[in-house]
Amino acid sequence: LPGMLGSWKLVEEGLVDAETQSILKADDLLNRVYADGARGAGLFIAAFRSQRNGKAPHSPKNCLPGNGWTPMTSEEIALDVGGPAPIQVNRYVVAHGDERSLVLYWYQSRDRTVASEYTAKFWVVVDAMRLNRTDTALVRVIVPIANRDEQAAGRAATDFVRALYGKLRQYLPA
């Protein structure tokens, strides 16, 4: 994935520790921070070539609270990424002490973007039977909510996903 996504520039290449890697069991992991001026966005991608043998994406709704983040709000939203139709993503606001963050995440499989964990699992079964494929990726974007301005964080997250989405589809299996 490039270091420049539109006006967003890679500012930090994060590591995923061995313990987290062993829990996730992903085939490929990406953990980065991008910035556009004063705005920042954390990008995490866990890609799975197969979801057989107990390998599957872990929902941020489970992982973030397990790391001390308290869920504040959760909903599915349609996000315009500049394509023929908007994509459905999860919009999740979490808190850790006085910190607040806006999280957008979805499951990406070939030309399919799915917000719901249950719908993603449904398509895994269908694709396994139809195509003998179970590959997918969990894509998560986290933007800090500065000064309790959730709208500004939402704009930053949306702008980042728009810059990311077209490039991302070039790097995931078709």
Side-chain angles (χ1 to χ4, degrees):
L1 201 60
M4 287 295 295
L5 298 169
S7 59
W8 293 84
K9 180 180 179 180
L10 173 65
V11 294
E12 184 179 328
E13 186 79 48
L15 298 175
V16 179
D17 62 77
E19 181 182 351
T20 302
Q21 288 181 27
S22 70
I23 291 168
L24 292 176
K25 298 181 177 119
D27 295 302
D28 293 303
L29 292 168
L30 180 86
N31 189 18
R32 291 182 170 177
V33 177
Y34 284 83
D36 178 8
R39 305 185 308 168
L43 172 63
F44 177 81
I45 302 173
F48 299 82
R49 290 185 192 102
S50 171
Q51 292 186 65
R52 295 178 174 97
N53 302 322
K55 293 169 57 171
H58 295 116
S59 170
K61 287 183 181 176
N62 297 324
C63 293
L64 290 172
N67 285 313
W69 290 89
T70 303
M72 306 294 286
T73 63
S74 177
E75 64 182 327
E76 281 187 26
I77 63 168
L79 192 64
D80 177 8
V81 291
I87 62 170
Q88 289 295 121
V89 302
N90 292 289
R91 183 183 187 280
Y92 195 41
V93 175
V94 293
H96 191 275
D98 290 335
E99 292 180 55
R100 302 275 185 278
S101 290
L102 174 70
V103 180
L104 299 179
Y105 74 93
W106 66 91
Y107 301 91
Q108 185 78 38
S109 301
R110 290 166 304 289
D111 289 332
R112 184 182 308 121
T113 302
V114 177
S116 164
E117 287 85 359
Y118 302 108
T119 303
K121 289 190 184 299
F122 166 79
W123 284 111
V124 166
V125 173
V126 170
D127 288 347
M129 291 187 306
R130 235 175 11 122
L131 306 170
N132 196 29
R133 290 178 67 167
T134 60
D135 52 311
T136 195
L138 167 70
V139 182
R140 183 190 74 197
V141 173
I142 298 181
V143 173
I145 300 173
N147 304 316
R148 304 254 188 229
D149 191 346
E150 199 173 309
Q151 288 183 340
R155 285 189 300 273
T158 298
D159 290 348
F160 179 75
V161 171
R162 282 186 186 131
L164 164 71
Y165 192 74
K167 287 288 184 193
L168 176 66
R169 292 185 58 210
Q170 295 174 19
Y171 287 88
L172 295 176

